[in-house]
């Protein structure tokens, strides 16, 4: 992003103090936009790392038989893919958007706690190094066994794994600390740094989604930290938290993990849903439909989302009463989620739509996320889940929720705000091409997985019975195209950073919000004097 | 891999398309297999109901979005209705939509609850065939708790060890690649069966799609499911909870047969068990040839999935036995690790095997693949080691 750097410095010179030069600018940065940029670059790098592991998985599954990967390496990649995508790609990318956009949207000069901001970013590369080490350490002599547990790291299997599991636990701790620090910063910023007259109920929905997400993170990350610390003690210090032979309980870990893991799904999705609240009204040229019900819906999602975790573990042998509760609780989540999707569709309704790339992604999200949500209701039904559980149907379901729900939302946000960040319009033709390749190959990859799951193919297997061949072939072909298509995204982003049509302050005709009143790109210190906001 | 290469031949783009059209897709399943139990039928029905509801909802959502995308676009000259959110609909949708969704939710949850109550809990006060299903890395053990034989004056339940058969060992008449097992779980048709699930090491999950009920095998827990078998046939499934290296090679084969055939099979199992017990109880000195022959068979079924047929293992997870420090070192240490396992690794305690089985395996390991220690371990040595372990 060298050109952007110069641009930002150029604007910086208008201020009393510009940014420091060279490496120091990034290493010691306390600037929300620089840190936001670093978050985004980091996330993009991780997207490719996680994508490579996914493509290796799909190549192995192209045909029955063991072609490319040893079983443990396959399991290691399955673990690695999930962790890198969740903790390395989606969460940092959403944090990058938050860093960039929240101060711009609420009229603040910067985040409330700039040094904390620096720390929460710079923990990430260290954590990612640990995470990658956990993957590669077993390849060295004496490095122990590979992590063959999946990202859920259930004991007792995770107690069997060699030292790479300790690297992983350490990485998760650091990633958690980074997220909690970033969340504290975001909450403090939102509560204290809004311009006069911007009441809570006048904040952009994107800011609201991040407020809810930040609270969720602070509530659930410590539970994960507790669980993996207990796991570490079981591994090395002779405790038996999760060892039945010592009076412990292997299922306890699952409860702790999913008490974090289920809200984590909403942590991944909500910021992207917030992006939609900016994108859909802009390109429909019509105010957002149902602002307060959206706020209510996301708070409801946060609360209900925290008390339905055990639907990930219907097969552990819970009582009839317990599974009934978790089933009904889970199905009820469709009310706030449905209301959210409804509000976005109602925003499009009777609008004057144009279909720039962010809007294309937004529409794609509404359609595919609805599909993922509906298979989610099917999965919530306990008796049917006795068949679906741990099958490829689940894999198809959560990719339909998380790719559109989280990743496509981030893509929409990147295309929507790229003109603001870089001062250049991106290449609309190429971006649309990227959208179509991306979305079509995504569907080719994951749609067939519903069928092989229903027919009886379990997830996380390196090799499968020949009856599943056809759909796996289709899925793998789609997966390779899908993976490669992100190179086009990289090209488009680099091209936009290096040049392109100058973006106006208000890059989109229908855009509303404070961020569009600043120049594109904004000055180094975003709002040195708070903008005037009329009292409602 | 013959079956696969045959399949690959048929896997041109053309045949893929034909598969879509249904001509070549006889085996290409799109949905749950035909249920083989009453509970599986219930689960199939609720699955079809929720799929239907989901499909209808999806069509409605797509229809609204599609309509909007076609008509409400700037290029058609449509002018945005800036007051849409102020109409009565805009004012009240926040309550109308949740009520509609709640109605759908309650429809689904109501039917689901009814099915759940039918399938979840094992019927009480009925005559069920109890089968204990024990998951191991990476094989299944089935114990028929209602059928036992008397060995050493103690009743022992009839047990079946069921292991993955590599394709070159599987015959024509098996479930095929990755699905063939040496000993299937045989069950009588028309009978209610209760499965008691547990595990000897890590988490596993018992899953046969035709029976639909899936349950985790958790060490230290006994979980239960039940099925009322409605038709005869051979049904394949596999472990559904990631359990380590060979998770993909933990097939399950259930053979549902007529009551009479089941009785005959059970009688045969009992005779085999008694014969094996009698052989193991013989107080005799076994020759090297005898132990090596038995040892090879026992090693290849019980030990080779980790340590491999050639004894080279899969380091670092599964150490090589060829020239290994333990198998060529002092005998007591070798006995100890086999009998008691090694904590924190996949090596479990093998003390449920008979003295003869253990003696043959240990003798085989100490003399096969060029280990050539010449050590001969007799069943009585195992017995002595066991009493030592008890102390």
């Amino acid at each position: 992003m060298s050109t952007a750097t110069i641009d930002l410095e150029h604007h910086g010179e208008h201020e009393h103090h510009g940014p420091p030069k060279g490496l120091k600018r990034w290493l010691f940065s306390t600037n929300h936009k620089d840190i936001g940029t670093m978050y985004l670059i980091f996330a993009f790098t991780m997207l490719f790392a996680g994508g490579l592991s996914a493509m290796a998985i799909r190549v192995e599954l192209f045909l029955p038989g063991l072609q490319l990967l040893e079983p443990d390496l396959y399991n290691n990649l399955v673990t690695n893919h999930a962790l890198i995508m969740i903790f390395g790609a989606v969460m940092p990318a959403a944090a990058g958007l938050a860093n960039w956009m929240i101060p711009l949207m609420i009229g603040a000069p910067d985040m409330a706690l700039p040094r904390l901001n620096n720390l929460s970013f710079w923990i990430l590369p260290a954590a990612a190094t640990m995470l990658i080490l956990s993957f590669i350490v077993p390849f060295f002599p004496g490095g122990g066994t590979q992590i063959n547990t999946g990202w859920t790291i259930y004991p007792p299997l995770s107690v069997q794994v060699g030292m790479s599991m300790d690297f992983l636990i350490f990485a998760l701790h650091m990633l958690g600390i980074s997220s909690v620090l970033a969340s504290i910063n975001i909450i403090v910023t939102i509560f204290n740094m809004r311009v006069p007259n911007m009441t809570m109920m006048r904040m952009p929905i994107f800011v609201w989604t991040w407020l809810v997400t930040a609270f969720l993170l602070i509530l659930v990350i410590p539970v994960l930290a507790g669980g993996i610390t207990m796991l570490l003690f079981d591994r090395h210090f002779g405790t038996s938290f999760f060892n039945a032979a010592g009076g412990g309980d292997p299922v306890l870990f699952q409860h702790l993990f999913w008490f974090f893991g289920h809200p984590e799904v909403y942590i991944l999705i909500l910021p992207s849903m917030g992006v939609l609240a900016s994108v859909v009204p802009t390109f429909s040229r019509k105010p957002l439909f149902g602002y307060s019900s959206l706020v209510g819906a996301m708070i409801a999602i946060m609360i209900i989302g925290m008390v339905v975790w055990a639907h990930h573990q219907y097969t552990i042998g819970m009582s009839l009463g317990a599974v009934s509760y978790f089933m009904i609780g889970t199905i009820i989540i469709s009310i706030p989620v449905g209301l959210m999707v409804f509000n976005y569709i109602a925003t499009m309704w009777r609008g004057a739509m144009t279909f720039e790339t962010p809007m294309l992604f937004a529409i794609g999200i509404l359609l595919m996320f609805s599909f993922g949500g509906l298979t989610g209701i099917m999965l919530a039904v306990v008796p049917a889940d006795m068949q679906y559980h741990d099958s490829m149907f689940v894999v198809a379901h959560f990719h339909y929720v998380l790719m559109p729900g989280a990743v496509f939302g981030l893509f929409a946000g990147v295309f929507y705000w790229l003109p603001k960040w870089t001062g250049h319009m991106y290449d609309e033709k190429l971006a649309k091409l990227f959208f179509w390749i991306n979305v079509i190959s995504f569907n080719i990859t994951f749609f067939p997985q519903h069928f092989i799951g229903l027919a009886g193919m379990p997830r996380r297997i390196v090799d499968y019975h020949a009856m599943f061949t056809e759909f796996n072939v289709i899925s793998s072909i789609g997966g390779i195209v899908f993976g490669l298509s992100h190179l086009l995204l990289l090209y488009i982003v680099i091209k936009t950073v290096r040049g392109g049509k100058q973006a106006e302050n208000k890059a989109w005709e229908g855009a509303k919000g404070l961020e569009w009143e600043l120049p594109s790109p904004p000055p180094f210190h975003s709002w040195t004097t708070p903008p005037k906001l009329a009292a409602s | 891999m013959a079956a696969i290469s045959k399949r690959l031949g048929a896997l041109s783009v053309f045949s893929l398309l034909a598969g879509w059209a249904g001509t070549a897709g006889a085996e290409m399943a799109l949905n749950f297999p035909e249920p083989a139990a009453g509970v599986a039928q219930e689960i199939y029905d609720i699955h079809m109901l929720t799929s239907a509801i989901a499909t209808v909802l999806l069509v409605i959502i797509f229809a609204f979005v599609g309509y909007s995308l076609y008509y409400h676009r700037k290029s058609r000259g449509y002018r945005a209705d800036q007051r849409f959110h102020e109409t009565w609909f805009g004012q009240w949708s926040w309550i109308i939509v949740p009520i509609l969704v709640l109605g759908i939710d309650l429809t689904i949850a109501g039917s689901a609850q009814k099915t759940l109550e039918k399938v979840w809990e094992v019927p009480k006060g009925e005559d069920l065939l109890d089968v204990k299903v024990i998951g191991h890395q990476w094989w299944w053990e089935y114990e028929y708790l209602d059928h036992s034989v008397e060995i050493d004056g103690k009743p022992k339940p009839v047990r079946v060890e069921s292991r993955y058969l590599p394709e070159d060992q599987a015959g024509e008449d098996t479930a095929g690649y990755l699905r063939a097992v040496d000993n299937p779980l045989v069950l009588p048709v028309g009978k209610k069966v209760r499965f008691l699930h547990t595990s000897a090491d890590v988490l596993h999950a018992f899953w046969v799609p035709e029976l639909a009920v899936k349950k985790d095998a958790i060490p230290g827990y006994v979980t239960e499911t039940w099925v009322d078998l409605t038709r005869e046939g051979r049904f394949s499934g596999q472990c559904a909870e990631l359990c380590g290296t060979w998770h993909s090679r933990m097939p399950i084969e259930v053979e549902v047969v007529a009551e009479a055939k089941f009785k005959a099979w059970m009688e045969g199992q009992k005779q085999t068990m008694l014969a094996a017990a009698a052989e193991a109880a013989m107080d005799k000195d076994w020759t090297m040839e005898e132990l090596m022959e038995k040892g090879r068979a026992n090693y290849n079924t019980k030990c080779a999935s980790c340590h491999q047929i050639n004894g080279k293992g899969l380091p670092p997870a599964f150490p090589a036995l060829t020239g290994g420090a333990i198998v060529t070192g002092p005998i007591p240490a070798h006995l100890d690790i086999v009998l008691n396992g090694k904590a924190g690794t996949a090596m479990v305690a093998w003390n449920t095997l008979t003295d003869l089985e253990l003696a043959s395996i240990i003798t085989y390991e100490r003399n096969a693949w060029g280990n050539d220690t010449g050590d001969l371990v007799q069943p009585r040595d195992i017995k002595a080691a066991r009493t030592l372990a008890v102390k």
Side-chain angles (χ1 to χ4, degrees):
Chain A
M1 296 218 162
S2 57
T3 322
T5 308
I6 293 160
D7 273 343
L8 288 172
E9 280 171 16
H10 177 69
H11 282 284
E13 280 161 17
H14 296 296
E15 309 297 329
H16 292 296
H17 51 282
K21 302 277 180 274
L23 192 62
K24 276 188 177 173
R25 166 175 177 177
W26 303 101
L27 210 51
F28 303 136
S29 178
T30 52
N31 181 283
H32 76 98
K33 291 192 287 293
D34 282 1
I35 294 174
T37 304
M38 289 194 289
Y39 263 116
L40 288 167
I41 294 172
F42 175 82
F44 214 14
T45 317
M46 288 289 121
L47 180 74
F48 281 97
L52 274 179
S53 45
M55 283 162 78
I57 290 167
R58 273 325 318 171
V59 170
E60 174 57 52
L61 292 180
F62 185 67
L63 292 173
L66 297 175
Q67 286 91 12
L68 181 70
L69 305 171
E70 287 294 312
D72 269 342
L73 178 57
Y74 175 86
N75 292 338
N76 199 357
L77 284 166
V78 167
T79 314
N80 200 262
H81 166 67
L83 289 169
I84 286 191
M85 285 302 193
I86 292 168
F87 289 100
V90 176
M91 287 168 74
L97 291 187
N99 251 296
W100 252 101
M101 299 319 298
I102 289 175
L104 297 188
M105 284 176 152
I106 64 174
D110 207 306
M111 298 294 280
L113 309 165
R115 289 194 174 83
L116 190 74
N117 206 9
N118 176 290
L119 180 63
S120 51
F121 172 74
W122 279 110
I123 291 174
L124 281 183
T129 310
M130 279 292 151
L131 193 59
I132 291 165
L133 275 178
S134 80
F135 178 74
I136 58 175
V137 151
F139 295 102
F140 291 95
T145 56
Q146 309 206 40
I147 301 178
N148 55 10
T149 60
W151 82 293
T152 47
I153 54 172
Y154 284 173
L157 188 59
S158 54
V159 177
Q160 287 181 357
V161 177
M163 68 165 90
S164 46
M165 183 55 73
D166 304 319
F167 281 89
L168 178 61
I169 289 173
F170 191 39
L172 285 175
H173 270 305
M174 288 200 289
L175 291 161
I177 291 170
S178 162
S179 295
V180 170
L181 294 182
S183 302
I184 292 171
N185 203 353
I186 285 166
I187 293 172
V188 175
T189 306
I190 294 172
F191 280 161
N192 294 294
M193 307 277 283
R194 282 170 288 132
V195 291
N197 287 336
M198 185 180 276
T199 56
M200 294 293 278
M201 291 307 279
R202 290 180 73 189
M203 294 193 310
I205 287 289
F206 177 75
V207 180
W208 257 112
T209 52
W210 250 109
L211 184 64
V212 172
T213 305
F215 270 105
L216 265 178
L217 275 165
I218 290 178
L219 284 167
V220 301
I221 289 271
V223 179
L224 173 72
I228 57 178
T229 305
M230 288 154 82
L231 185 61
L232 191 72
F233 272 64
D234 270 15
R235 286 170 53 81
H236 295 295
F237 306 121
T239 57
S240 296
F241 291 113
F242 309 128
N243 178 6
D249 181 353
V251 173
L252 174 63
F253 182 84
Q254 302 185 21
H255 285 294
L256 293 173
F257 183 87
W258 287 112
F259 189 83
F260 148 80
H262 190 67
E264 174 70 18
V265 176
Y266 301 108
I267 289 167
L268 298 173
I269 289 169
L270 280 175
S272 294
M273 288 289 143
V275 171
L276 285 196
S278 290
V279 169
V280 177
T282 297
F283 298 101
S284 306
R285 292 169 183 74
K286 187 166 156 291
L288 181 67
F289 187 91
Y291 177 96
S292 21
S293 68
L294 271 172
V295 172
M298 72 181 86
I299 293 173
I301 289 174
M302 167 177 157
I303 294 167
I304 307 172
M306 287 195 63
V307 293
V308 295
W309 71 91
H311 62 225
H312 295 266
Q313 324 151 229
Y314 282 151
T315 55
I316 59 170
M318 280 182 284
S319 68
L320 178 65
V323 286
S324 303
Y325 159 73
F326 283 111
M327 170 170 81
I328 289 163
T330 306
I331 293 177
I332 290 294
I333 289 199
S334 63
I335 294 176
V337 173
L339 190 58
M340 260 185 155
V341 171
F342 166 81
N343 279 335
Y344 291 139
I345 294 175
T347 306
M348 289 162 55
W349 194 258
R350 293 204 208 165
M353 279 188 272
T354 51
F355 302 98
E356 286 83 352
T357 312
M359 185 62 171
L360 289 177
F361 272 109
I363 295 162
I365 292 164
L366 291 178
L367 297 177
M368 290 183 292
F369 180 73
S370 301
F371 181 59
L374 289 166
T375 53
I377 295 180
M378 292 169 68
L379 279 159
V381 171
V382 181
D385 183 74
M386 292 172 88
Q387 188 79 280
Y388 307 139
H389 187 90
D390 263 325
S391 74
M392 289 299 283
F393 187 80
V394 177
V395 175
H397 156 73
F398 70 71
H399 280 97
Y400 264 91
V401 171
L402 288 179
M403 279 304 301
V407 181
F408 289 175
L410 296 169
F411 289 167
V414 166
F415 283 115
Y416 184 62
W417 286 309
L418 207 49
K420 176 55 62 185
W421 299 339
T422 63
H424 304 130
M425 298 305 285
Y426 59 84
D427 185 331
E428 191 67 60
K429 264 195 187 135
L430 273 184
K432 280 186 177 166
L433 181 69
F434 167 68
F435 166 81
W436 286 111
I437 298 175
N438 197 253
V439 166
I440 291 171
S441 57
F442 165 79
N443 282 288
I444 294 173
T445 311
F446 292 104
F447 195 69
Q449 294 182 3
H450 290 100
F451 302 121
I452 41 179
L454 294 179
M457 178 171 164
R459 60 191 286 213
R460 293 168 164 176
I461 52 171
V462 63
D463 196 2
Y464 53 85
H465 185 259
M467 71 184 280
F468 307 121
T469 310
E470 284 85 351
F471 283 130
N472 269 302
V473 169
I474 298 168
S475 183
S476 285
I477 292 170
I480 299 302
V481 177
F482 184 59
L484 292 176
S485 74
H486 295 90
L487 291 172
L488 183 56
L489 175 64
L490 179 66
Y491 174 74
I492 295 168
V493 171
I494 292 174
K495 196 175 165 207
T496 314
V497 171
R498 293 169 72 95
K501 198 175 132 244
Q502 176 62 39
E504 293 164 28
N505 289 4
K506 196 175 127 181
W508 308 108
E509 187 193 14
K512 290 202 173 68
L514 289 179
E515 77 262 36
W516 303 109
E517 285 169 28
L518 283 171
S520 305
F524 192 65
H525 295 290
S526 307
W527 293 99
T528 38
T529 48
K532 295 263 183 299
L533 196 66
S536 57
Chain B
M1 305 292 274
I4 294 170
S5 46
K6 198 163 67 190
R7 243 182 133 74
L8 290 185
L11 204 77
S12 62
V13 174
F14 176 77
S15 68
L16 272 180
L17 291 174
W20 279 105
T23 50
E27 215 188 334
M28 191 172 74
L30 295 167
N31 200 355
F32 290 177
E34 189 196 339
V39 289
Q41 186 64 50
E42 295 282 349
I43 288 169
Y44 183 88
D45 293 343
I46 189 77
H47 156 68
M48 292 312 281
L49 176 74
T50 51
S51 311
I53 294 174
T55 310
V56 170
L57 290 175
L58 194 69
V59 168
I60 293 172
I61 295 169
F62 271 57
F64 273 96
V65 173
Y67 180 90
S68 186
L69 290 181
Y70 187 75
Y71 289 103
H72 305 148
R73 48 166 77 211
K74 196 183 173 195
S75 55
R76 283 176 63 99
Y78 195 89
R79 304 224 353 185
D81 179 0
Q82 301 294 348
R83 303 236 154 277
F84 182 58
H85 59 288
E86 291 166 14
T87 58
W88 69 267
F89 183 72
Q91 295 295 312
W92 292 101
S93 61
W94 68 274
I95 189 74
I96 298 171
V97 173
I99 287 173
L100 284 176
V101 179
L102 182 67
I104 298 162
D105 284 357
L106 291 180
T107 312
I108 295 172
S111 317
Q113 185 68 24
K114 273 192 211 123
T115 309
L116 183 62
E117 280 162 17
K118 280 186 217 160
V119 305
W120 193 254
E121 289 188 325
V122 180
K124 292 189 179 66
E126 287 188 50
D127 176 34
L128 293 108
L129 175 72
D130 284 345
V131 180
K132 190 172 170 192
V133 180
I134 306 162
H136 296 262
Q137 280 174 317
W138 294 275
W139 54 284
W140 295 96
E141 182 183 357
Y142 308 115
E143 282 185 11
Y144 292 82
L145 300 181
D146 304 332
H147 298 267
S148 57
V149 287
E150 199 156 298
I151 294 170
D152 289 343
K154 279 179 272 181
K156 294 246 176 185
V158 172
R159 49 189 285 282
V160 173
E161 292 185 5
S162 182
R163 287 184 167 82
Y164 159 76
L165 272 188
E167 204 173 22
D168 51 357
Q169 292 174 34
E172 279 298 301
D173 183 37
T174 55
Y177 181 60
L178 284 181
R179 287 290 168 94
V181 299
D182 52 0
N183 302 304
L185 171 64
V186 180
L187 296 172
V189 72
K191 183 91 180 165
K192 287 185 180 169
V193 181
R194 173 165 72 159
F195 296 116
L196 296 155
H197 305 273
T198 190
S199 165
D201 35 51
V202 301
L203 304 173
H204 303 275
F206 183 80
W207 183 28
V208 179
E210 278 87 352
L211 307 183
V213 290
K214 183 186 289 125
K215 202 63 104 177
D216 287 356
I218 306 166
Y221 274 64
V222 176
T223 51
E224 55 178 19
T225 50
W226 70 284
V227 289
D228 43 346
L229 298 164
T230 51
R231 68 184 169 99
E232 292 177 38
R234 273 166 44 168
F235 311 117
S236 290
Q238 63 190 98
C239 177
E241 178 66 55
L242 182 54
C243 56
T245 313
W246 291 115
H247 168 53
S248 59
R249 288 192 185 164
M250 257 184 91
I252 299 164
E253 190 177 332
V254 178
E255 202 174 328
V256 181
V257 297
E259 180 81 36
K261 205 173 162 192
F262 175 74
K263 277 199 177 121
W265 174 85
M266 182 58 76
E267 211 40 54
Q269 289 295 310
K270 286 180 181 173
Q271 294 312 323
T272 315
M273 275 183 80
L274 285 171
E279 190 186 27
M282 273 194 285
D283 188 23
K284 73 169 236 187
D285 281 323
W286 296 82
T287 65
M288 179 65 96
E289 286 68 38
E290 286 169 331
L291 284 179
M292 285 298 278
E293 193 196 325
K294 284 191 182 302
R296 184 198 320 274
N298 286 329
Y299 175 90
N300 287 353
T301 50
K302 297 181 199 324
C303 315
S305 65
C306 298
H307 294 292
Q308 307 299 303
I309 301 265
N310 59 15
K312 294 209 185 302
L314 290 170
F318 312 120
L321 299 182
T322 48
I326 289 173
V327 293
T328 57
I331 296 177
H334 192 178
L335 285 177
D336 178 62
I337 196 167
V338 177
L339 269 175
N340 303 318
K342 189 175 174 189
T345 69
M347 182 68 190
V348 294
W350 287 93
N351 52 19
T352 50
L353 301 187
T354 66
D355 294 345
L356 177 60
E357 285 170 322
L358 286 169
S360 67
I361 289 170
I362 291 172
T363 305
Y364 179 72
E365 288 175 349
R366 300 184 74 82
N367 294 288
W369 326 295
N371 281 350
D372 298 332
T373 57
D375 296 334
L376 193 61
V377 179
Q378 294 291 348
R380 71 175 73 90
D381 301 328
I382 306 288
K383 190 167 272 168
R386 279 191 212 264
T387 28
L388 207 65
V390 171
K391 279 173 196 162

